[in-house]
Amino acid sequence: QVQLQESGGGLVQAGGSLRLTCAASGRASASYTMGWFRQAPGKEREFVAVISVSGGSPYYADSVKGRFTISRDTGNNTVYLQMNSLIPEDTAVYYCVADVSGKVVRDPGYWGQGTQVTVSS
């Protein structure tokens, strides 16, 4: 079992920045690829970013490329999402996810409870 706990959401003006944190726990958590999804009001959940077990090979959705940075502290089994140049379209509940690398982008098996990010115009 893997438990994921997000923090760091909030309200920010357009052009601002936020950093999300996801703390992973559980026996197998250190061996899973981790990432972020988001769900905006009235829309389906969408992939945002993913990072490998070793903390390398970051991969981003086109909508956030160049603005968001995912990183991983392997010692503390924590993943971060640094979000810069935020726009109102980034408003969503952001979820930390984990699974084997082949699944995490399409259908991750482990989800956190989510943290709200609201970007005002």
Side-chain angles (χ1 to χ4, degrees):
Q1 287 290 338
V2 175
Q3 293 81 43
L4 304 170
Q5 181 63 56
E6 306 97 335
S7 61
L11 173 64
V12 65
Q13 289 189 332
S17 299
L18 280 175
R19 188 174 84 154
L20 305 183
T21 299
C22 174
S25 60
R27 183 175 299 179
S29 59
S31 63
Y32 281 115
T33 299
M34 295 181 66
W36 295 89
F37 273 62
R38 67 185 181 184
Q39 186 169 23
K43 295 187 177 181
E44 294 185 354
R45 287 179 180 178
E46 65 173 354
F47 165 77
V48 174
V50 66
I51 194 164
S52 71
V53 171
S54 66
S57 304
Y59 177 72
Y60 301 93
D62 287 343
S63 58
V64 306
K65 201 174 296 183
R67 300 187 298 119
F68 290 12
T69 302
I70 189 171
S71 59
R72 183 168 187 165
D73 182 343
T74 56
N76 291 324
N77 211 14
T78 300
V79 172
Y80 305 95
L81 186 67
Q82 177 67 42
M83 305 185 294
N84 298 329
S85 302
L86 285 161
I87 59 178
E89 290 75 16
D90 294 320
T91 295
V93 177
Y94 283 71
Y95 296 91
C96 181
V97 298
D99 212 315
V100 298
S101 61
K103 287 190 61 182
V104 71
V105 173
R106 299 187 312 274
D107 185 25
Y110 297 100
W111 293 74
Q113 291 188 331
T115 185
Q116 177 70 46
V117 171
T118 302
V119 184
S120 63
S121 57

